Amino acid sequence: MYNSRIIAVVGATGSQGGGLVRAILADPASDFRARAITRKANGEKADALRKLGAEVVEADLDNEASLAKAFDGAYGAYCVTNYWEHMTPAKEVSQARNMAQAAKTAKVEHVIWSTLEDTRLRVPLTDSRMPTLMEKYKVPHFDAKGDADVLFAEAGVPTTYLLTTFYWDNFVYFGMGPKKGPDGKYSITMPMGNARLSGIASEDIGKCALGIFKQGKQWIGKRVGIAGDHVTGAQMAAAMSKALGKEVAYNVVTPEMFRGFGFPGADDLGNMFQYYTEFEKEFSAARSLDTSRSLNPELLDFNSWLAKYKDRIPEA
Ligand SMILES: NC(=O)c1ccc[n+]([C@@H]2O[C@H](COP(=O)([O-])OP(=O)(O)OC[C@H]3O[C@@H](n4cnc5c(N)ncnc54)[C@H](OP(=O)(O)O)[C@@H]3O)[C@@H](O)[C@H]2O)c1
């Protein structure tokens, strides 16, 4: 039947889920329909999705029954948590459990769980190269997602484990864009030395997810990593200098300095960058550009992301 299969999208008003809803709506030839899930069905973002043609339903990740209702009748579900809203790993795990159980109740046929590596598999808590945080984690917003992987398998829901990565949109929205120093020169600051960072345009996460739903069953039970490019800080700074028409330097700091910046989550992100750096090979190998492009032929590399979004990078 034409337009018959519903994909229920958690985080539809956000970056990952919003990208998926837009990708589904932009592809009327596919037989998928988008059901956008939000806590605020009457909010502006929900309205915008409704106007584009999405069905909008309300559910809360803290309420399993509301999720089961939102997943009811859906073929697929995109499941994502927002760690940064609460910065509590146990809450992230509990929200993932609610999604897994709700998908089971609703008999969803294909779940995509947006996850990240459990960094403790490579840096056990006894490893002192980076501090242990909140007693149980090295990179809490990665490790909690890794902890949650098993919940989908235990619930018996057909799941694809989607390993996302650093959004370049962080240069626009997450305070990571070029900053003017006391000498009047601009720089981006990252504790990554000469290592390559696997990055992606956040809109491409949803587009890749749509590719996974379309390719279907072959991805069930699999882990698939995605990225748009693997580029060093120096390469990103050089590309920004060209795109923005002003010199942007790469300000290399140590992970320890980054952890000491003191903003909420600086220690988590400092550990994350250290992990990206010290496991550069493994991290990028888990995120094949070819596979990402086969899921999403429109995949942006860093230069094409910059060309599209450079005007949104704030002057600071
Ligand atoms: N920034 C990065 O570079 C990066 C890279 C990889 C992974 N991540 C991960 O991405 C996740 C965030 O995804 P995002 O960037 O797409 O988020 P986002 O743009 O900040 O939007 C958050 C979304 O989550 C929904 N949400 C949050 N709490 C909810 C709840 N209790 N019930 C229902 N919906 C809820 C929000 O919906 P409403 O507000 O409309 O209800 C909203 O749609 C984080 O866990 C982060 O660790 C980030």
Side-chain angles (χ1 to χ4, degrees):
M1 245 168 75
Y2 185 66
N3 268 359
S4 63
R5 292 191 291 175
I6 296 169
I7 305 289
V9 183
V10 173
T13 56
S15 302
Q16 295 190 26
L20 175 56
V21 169
R22 287 184 172 78
I24 295 170
L25 296 173
D27 188 7
S30 88
D31 70 342
F32 292 125
R33 280 192 279 150
R35 179 182 289 166
I37 298 175
T38 171
R39 287 164 294 183
K40 294 156 268 176
N42 295 321
E44 259 175 49
K45 290 179 177 172
D47 256 354
L49 295 173
R50 211 179 279 111
K51 282 191 187 119
L52 286 174
E55 173 192 6
V56 176
V57 303
E58 251 179 37
D60 191 318
L61 295 182
D62 295 319
N63 180 337
E64 184 192 322
S66 74
L67 286 167
K69 208 168 150 207
F71 288 173
D72 189 42
Y75 160 82
Y78 187 79
C79 295
V80 59
T81 43
N82 185 11
Y83 179 83
W84 298 107
E85 187 171 310
H86 46 76
M87 299 211 252
T88 309
K91 190 172 169 89
E92 185 161 43
V93 171
S94 146
Q95 293 183 336
R97 181 180 293 108
N98 288 340
M99 287 188 279
Q101 290 300 321
K104 180 182 178 184
T105 305
K107 299 190 173 57
V108 172
E109 290 179 51
H110 193 173
V111 165
I112 297 180
W113 160 233
S114 172
T115 189
L116 287 164
E117 281 89 344
D118 181 341
T119 64
R120 298 161 300 184
L121 299 176
R122 293 198 173 100
V123 190
L125 296 184
T126 48
D127 189 326
S128 59
R129 76 176 89 188
M130 60 179 76
T132 292
L133 305 176
M134 303 181 202
E135 291 171 17
K136 288 201 288 195
Y137 305 99
K138 288 298 188 183
V139 183
H141 76 285
F142 273 52
D143 300 344
K145 291 180 180 66
D147 274 348
D149 287 352
V150 70
L151 302 173
F152 290 87
E154 282 173 1
V157 292
T159 302
T160 302
Y161 302 83
L162 179 65
L163 292 158
T164 66
T165 194
F166 181 90
Y167 316 162
W168 294 318
D169 311 64
N170 294 333
F171 292 122
V172 177
Y173 303 110
F174 212 64
M176 293 202 62
K179 300 269 180 324
K180 205 185 220 172
D183 56 0
K185 294 192 173 152
Y186 287 91
S187 62
I188 52 169
T189 297
M190 281 187 307
M192 287 204 53
N194 296 322
R196 292 170 312 145
L197 174 61
S198 296
I200 194 162
S202 69
E203 68 183 42
D204 277 331
I205 298 175
K207 290 181 181 180
C208 289
L210 177 57
I212 293 170
F213 281 126
K214 278 181 167 177
Q215 292 179 15
K217 305 279 180 222
Q218 62 177 291
W219 287 109
I220 286 171
K222 301 264 170 61
R223 290 173 80 74
V224 55
I226 51 171
D229 220 338
H230 307 297
V231 269
T232 64
Q235 287 170 328
M236 287 192 273
M240 280 187 194
S241 302
K242 223 165 138 187
L244 301 175
K246 63 188 181 198
E247 201 190 323
V248 177
Y250 172 35
N251 177 32
V252 188
V253 294
T254 64
E256 204 177 347
M257 285 162 77
F258 197 96
R259 287 188 280 270
F261 284 165
F263 61 84
D267 48 2
D268 186 334
L269 294 174
N271 283 7
M272 171 191 80
F273 280 119
Q274 186 173 350
Y275 182 85
Y276 282 154
T277 305
E278 294 183 11
F279 300 95
E280 171 198 10
K281 249 211 281 186
E282 294 85 345
F283 197 82
S284 58
R287 289 163 174 78
S288 151
L289 303 185
D290 288 343
T291 303
S292 308
R293 202 164 294 110
S294 76
L295 294 168
N296 164 26
E298 295 170 5
L299 189 77
L300 298 175
D301 62 15
F302 187 63
N303 281 323
S304 32
W305 177 82
L306 259 184
K308 191 166 174 185
Y309 291 107
K310 63 178 183 194
D311 295 338
R312 298 200 194 168
I313 296 177
E315 286 271 342

